[in-house]
Amino acid sequence: MRQLEAALIGAGLIARLHLDAWVRAGASVRVYSDDGRAEALAREFGARAVGSLADALDGADVVDICTPTGSHHEIALAAIAAGVGVVCEKPLSADIAEAEEIVAAAERAGVRLHPAHDVRFSPPFARLHHLVAAGRLGRSAVALFTVTGYHPRPWTGHVSAEAGGILTDQMLHGADIAYWIFGDVVRAHAYYQGDIATPAPAGAVGVGTAVLTHASGALTRIVSRWTAEQSPPVRVTFHVSGTGGTVQYDSERPQEVQVTGEAAGTFQYFGESPFVAEMREFAQAFMGGPEPRLGPRDALAAVRITQAAAESAWTGRAVELPVKGIA
């Protein structure tokens, strides 16, 4: 079986995590970044650096876009035009029109497109999905998902409805998980703390909160925090309750997944890095294997939800979302 040829665009923290995962998945990787850091990163992982985006795309099976969100649209369209499959770090775009254009272009060209929503590949969240899909939590549910991460950059704040900061970036993790587990979102009501008028809590750069109403009747609350503290770099939790029981998880205590009710005894923590699991699943798909657990329509669903959350926080009103029939 021939080796998958992957082109990694970017050389920051996410690019490093993705590069390690691609190498572990058995891919041959070339790295391009316009900031001069590609050569050092490539050397560290036994990959090779190239000098331009065109060189990166030439002969590649897949391009992995790990650059700032504003550049995703241009790079993705260039890859699709070259017939190269696309993996794109979240969000696909901060603008729903751009995201829709990328998806439409990939579908017209028959090119694979997969968003890198890594939390779906975290074993506790994958097990939670299985638990809910199997009906073990009963007919209805309420859920709390939290993500806390170190992010000192000044542009993380909520500037406008079009540039939601944490609401259209980090909150996408929770939005995608809520959508994946509980289905279409029909209403979003969100709030942001972090500007002069509503300062964030002590130690936090910004906090975004959204309450999502699902077509299934489930209610999910997502809390995203950017902090000025570097430890831990990322912390994720969930607390999900239904008529059949409750399940809780905190990444600071990964061995302590707690389950009560009928679901007790069916949920456990195990597995590998979500980045490795993610890239292995994508690599297999690009080489003709099974379909991955998420695709372009999932990317659009997540962007629609986070854009609605940003609009809600900006206007102070709940935002209704039409059901798009996204599976």
Side-chain angles (χ1 to χ4, degrees):
M1 185 175 181
R2 75 175 182 86
Q3 194 173 26
L4 181 77
E5 292 288 335
L8 181 73
I9 313 301
L13 172 61
I14 291 298
R16 173 180 294 275
L17 294 170
H18 282 208
L19 177 53
D20 175 67
W22 282 117
V23 170
R24 291 175 185 271
S28 173
V29 188
R30 77 281 299 267
V31 182
Y32 169 68
S33 179
D34 61 7
D35 61 5
R37 294 188 291 170
E39 187 171 346
L41 180 62
R43 188 186 312 116
E44 181 179 347
F45 287 89
R48 64 186 178 92
V50 295
S52 69
L53 178 61
D55 289 340
L57 295 177
D58 185 21
D61 296 302
V62 54
V63 61
D64 183 359
I65 304 171
C66 294
T67 56
T69 302
S71 65
H72 291 180
H73 179 256
E74 180 180 357
I75 297 171
L77 290 183
I80 292 167
V84 177
V86 176
V87 168
C88 186
E89 176 57 23
K90 62 85 188 166
L92 186 59
S93 173
D95 179 84
I96 188 59
E98 286 190 354
E100 289 174 340
E101 184 180 1
I102 293 169
V103 170
E107 290 179 344
R108 285 195 304 270
V111 167
R112 283 190 169 277
L113 169 64
H114 299 292
H117 297 175
D118 60 272
V119 176
R120 282 203 192 193
F121 296 84
S122 176
F125 288 89
R127 299 286 281 184
L128 174 64
H129 176 267
H130 175 75
L131 196 67
V132 174
R136 297 302 299 269
L137 286 184
R139 296 179 303 277
S140 60
V142 292
L144 169 65
F145 300 104
T146 75
V147 180
T148 302
Y150 172 62
H151 210 314
R153 298 173 185 172
W155 50 263
T156 59
H158 177 59
V159 179
S160 68
E162 293 74 29
I166 196 169
L167 296 168
T168 55
D169 189 280
Q170 191 198 68
M171 186 172 281
L172 187 140
H173 284 304
D176 178 63
I177 289 296
Y179 164 74
W180 184 41
I181 293 174
F182 297 111
D184 285 319
V185 173
V186 296
R187 193 170 190 259
H189 201 170
Y191 181 70
Y192 173 80
Q193 292 176 277
D195 56 21
I196 296 174
T198 55
V205 177
V207 179
T209 301
V211 175
L212 307 179
T213 302
H214 297 261
S216 65
L219 288 175
T220 57
R221 182 182 177 214
I222 302 167
V223 180
S224 295
R225 301 181 183 92
W226 271 322
T227 74
E229 302 295 329
Q230 297 190 46
S231 181
V234 178
R235 179 183 182 185
V236 294
T237 75
F238 61 70
H239 186 125
V240 182
S241 296
T243 58
T246 296
V247 59
Q248 303 176 64
Y249 170 73
D250 187 329
S251 62
E252 286 197 331
R253 300 182 295 277
Q255 74 282 6
E256 295 181 10
V257 177
Q258 302 173 13
V259 187
T260 65
E262 295 177 6
T266 68
F267 192 100
Q268 58 182 313
Y269 176 83
F270 66 94
E272 61 185 343
S273 158
F275 294 102
V276 175
E278 179 180 43
M279 296 313 160
R280 180 182 296 115
E281 197 166 299
F282 290 157
Q284 291 171 347
F286 279 104
M287 296 299 285
E291 286 296 317
R293 68 192 69 179
L294 78 170
R297 297 289 158 172
D298 300 293
L300 289 184
V303 174
R304 288 187 181 113
I305 295 167
T306 55
Q307 288 237 316
E311 180 184 345
S312 174
W314 185 246
T315 63
R317 299 189 299 269
V319 173
E320 306 293 328
L321 288 84
V323 175
K324 297 288 185 177
I326 301 170

